[in-house]
Amino acid sequence: MLTLDHASVVADDVDLIRDVSIAVSAGKVVALVGANGAGKTTVLRALSGDVELASGRVCLDETHLSDLAPVELAKRRAVLSQKSLLAFDFTVLQVVLLGRTPHDTRHTEDLDVACAAMQSMEVETLASRPYSTLSGGEQQRVHMARVLAQLSVGQTTGTRYLLLDEPTSALDLAHQHDLLTTARRCADDGVGVLVVLHDLNLTAQYADEVVVMKQGRVIARGAPWEVLTREIIHEAFDISAVITRHPIKAVPLIVPVPDTSTRAKLRKTQKET
Amino acid sequence: MTNAEPSSSALGALSIQSRRQKFALSGLLIALVIVATASVAIGAVSIPPGSILAAVGRAFDIRMPWSVTDQQAVVLTMIRLPRVVLGLCVGAGLAVSGALLQGLFRNPLADPGLVGVSSGAAFGAALAIVTGASLGAALPLPARPFVVTAGAFVAGLATTLLVYQLATRHGRTSVSTMLLAGIAVNAIGGAGVGALVLFADDNQLRDITFWTLGGLGGATWTSIAAVAPLVLGVILAVPRLASSLNAMLLGEAEARYLGVDTQRTKKLVVVLTAVAVAGSIAFAGLIGFVGLMAPHLVRIVLGPDHRTLLPASAIVGGTLLVGADVLARMLLAPTEIPVGIVTALAGAPLFLWLLVSQRRAW
């Protein structure tokens, strides 16, 4: 289990997250939702061990993250960041092979893993293309393939974890579902998945557990039906929504109903006071 | 994840790539041999390739169908060969350092001089030149010729470590702070050299000027014995950094997610470049553009993978500097142009042409 325990992160005297506890367990997809600036990315970075906690702790199977060797951690935990840059122009295959950096497997094995990862993200036909010539969505899929290659089973023992920060932000409709299906399949293989999402309907369809954040705190958590309610959505996003049932799947379907007149009125009164 | 068969397009791309790499690497080595041979052959005393082989044969007691005069043999072993070997070492050291720093800064404009090593070394050399007479008198005779070299090496190393310290806080080094601190320290070093020029007499002034223009004229087997282990040590050490530097091209956070100890990588890159560059310019003076150009040329042909970039840059850097040295000796013969002028004059326009013709991202 990858756990964040009563964690706070402070930057320049501003609390980015306050007293957040979150647990990602094997075989589960946890979705993290909330308005811009709610602290979702900070939680993800804290879980990946990349930020210093002001208080609290982050543990992988009861071991402090800081006590794990970076390479051992990298074999068991992969992170897809919101934005990945690339300074010099690698080919797509080279980028995906970077995912094998922590593994000391043979090159042919790395190649097999990279090819399988590229196939699952449908980027294998781009293998020899320079990364800079890809579209934003293609780049995002290439990075997802890199992360999958990093997490490929091989000699790794213990539960593996996949942390995805808005992995669908640049993807078209079909690829959004493809990517989350892949994440879901990873979870079915025993990987613990945490995914930051903005689309509540994707969240409802793919998450086992939904964690809602607002202003650095967790305000609700539970199964999609329990959490994705009118009241919680209104509190977290300041928007009205109608919740109905997905016509095919047994999950909630969220239809946002922006009440422009009330919001505009609210803003006006805020300005005046 | 399914364990699918590797797709043929990916494998095809890879095999083309590796074939191209082997082809290009052997091409680079052939170019190196040709340029080195030309550098040995060309000069006031001409030594044709046959005579070079004859001289080598004589050293190993093998009879060759060519002949070599005693004069040629002496020029070869005492002047030409040390010069070529020093050129290869210095060029390789500068180029590998350039490639390392460009990778670390994730910026194709990074140059070995950026972290303060050149200006520090220049200040150290100028200080040694100006105070040399009084300082040298205190030293035993055999050590005296190395006062300037030692001054440059120590000051270059110290400046780089200072820049590194300035950019490190709470055990983490900020690469962008290092860049800016390097610029500031370079300015201070430049001002220091300027101030020393005020106190220099005419001879010292000439020495300072020639040192800052760079040259391989001072090559001896003794200087090679000092610089070759430094540069070779660095070249042998860098392949271990290649995959870390590759991962760091994604950004530092991504590299850490991939299990790379980024702080250790930064430290090693700074120390290795400081040693290689300070060692190189201590014996050859300031030589610009080789460290910037060689990695660029390699990236165009072989791509940015550090596993090939680092060794190939060493080969190309050595070739470029030895080639420039041939030009430096030929163009105004018998006058010798400082090689730093040649690398700048030939390198800068070539570099501009590359910038304009390869508008794509580096």
Side-chain angles (χ1 to χ4, degrees), chain B residues 35-46:
Chain B
V35 170
T37 311
S39 178
V40 173
I42 295 168
V45 176
S46 166

Side-chain angles (χ1 to χ4, degrees), chain A residues 220-241:
Chain A
R221 70 176 88 214
W225 274 114
E226 300 161 20
V227 173
L228 297 174
T229 63
R230 232 184 117 86
E231 296 73 26
I232 294 174
I233 289 171
H234 191 269
E235 191 192 342
F237 298 97
D238 191 23
I239 190 167
S240 304

Side-chain angles (χ1 to χ4, degrees), chain B residues 34-332:
Chain B
I34 291 173
V35 170
T37 311
S39 178
V40 173
I42 295 168
V45 176
S46 166
I47 312 176
S51 302
I52 299 173
L53 287 176
V56 174
R58 190 195 273 184
F60 291 100
D61 258 344
I62 308 167
R63 280 196 81 77
M64 291 279 178
W66 303 279
S67 65
V68 59
T69 65
D70 286 344
Q71 189 203 19
Q72 282 176 326
V74 169
V75 170
L76 180 73
T77 50
M78 300 315 289
I79 300 173
R80 299 276 170 80
L81 220 45
R83 196 168 176 137
V84 170
V85 175
L86 184 69
L88 292 178
C89 285
V90 169
L94 292 173
V96 167
S97 304
L100 284 172
L101 287 174
Q102 288 173 6
L104 183 71
F105 288 117
R106 274 166 269 137
N107 189 329
L109 295 177
D111 170 274
L114 209 67
V115 285
V117 62
S118 331
S119 62
F123 179 74
L127 191 68
I129 289 167
V130 172
T131 61
S134 44
L135 196 70
L139 287 171
L141 201 60
R144 282 182 202 174
F146 294 106
V147 170
V148 175
T149 306
F153 182 70
V154 171
L157 217 55
T159 317
T160 310
L161 296 182
L162 173 73
V163 167
Y164 178 77
Q165 283 303 323
L166 284 173
T168 306
R169 201 167 294 168
H170 304 307
R172 274 199 183 181
T173 308
S174 157
V175 168
S176 49
T177 310
M178 205 155 85
L179 202 87
L180 294 171
I183 291 172
V185 167
N186 275 338
I188 297 172
V193 173
L196 283 169
V197 163
L198 281 179
F199 301 103
D201 62 28
D202 282 356
N203 269 337
Q204 291 168 344
L205 206 56
R206 202 179 146 75
D207 284 350
I208 293 176
T209 311
F210 269 88
W211 191 87
T212 51
L213 290 173
L216 299 171
T220 61
W221 288 114
T222 322
S223 57
I224 289 166
V227 71
L230 294 179
V231 170
L232 281 179
V234 169
I235 289 176
L236 290 178
V238 292
R240 290 149 49 92
L241 286 174
S243 72
S244 299
L245 283 171
N246 279 345
M248 281 177 79
L249 293 186
L250 293 168
E252 272 186 47
E254 300 293 316
R256 279 196 293 275
Y257 296 149
L258 286 166
V260 174
D261 187 341
T262 53
Q263 188 56 34
R264 182 170 160 271
T265 307
K266 284 184 264 190
K267 200 184 228 168
L268 278 173
V269 165
V270 169
V271 170
L272 290 175
T273 51
V275 168
V277 177
S280 296
I281 59 187
F283 288 95
L286 295 185
I287 293 172
F289 272 99
V290 174
L292 186 64
M293 289 257 321
H296 270 282
L297 290 171
V298 176
R299 260 189 226 105
I300 291 170
V301 183
L302 292 170
D305 187 338
H306 284 90
R307 284 170 299 186
T308 45
L309 175 67
L310 293 169
S313 293
I315 298 173
V316 170
T319 312
L320 283 179
L321 186 55
V322 172
D325 184 52
V326 174
L327 291 179
R329 285 185 285 140
M330 277 172 61
L331 288 178
L332 295 180

Side-chain angles (χ1 to χ4, degrees), chain A residues 78-120:
Chain A
V79 184
L80 180 69
S81 301
Q82 252 179 60
K83 238 184 154 46
S84 293
L85 37 89
L86 187 62
F88 295 99
D89 215 2
F90 277 123
T91 62
V92 166
L93 178 63
Q94 284 175 317
V95 174
V96 176
L97 279 171
L98 285 180
R100 301 303 292 168
T101 305
H103 301 273
D104 36 23
T105 39
R106 279 179 304 119
H107 185 63
T108 48
E109 188 183 334
D110 291 344
L111 212 54
D112 288 350
V113 169
C115 286
M118 286 193 294
Q119 276 170 351
S120 68

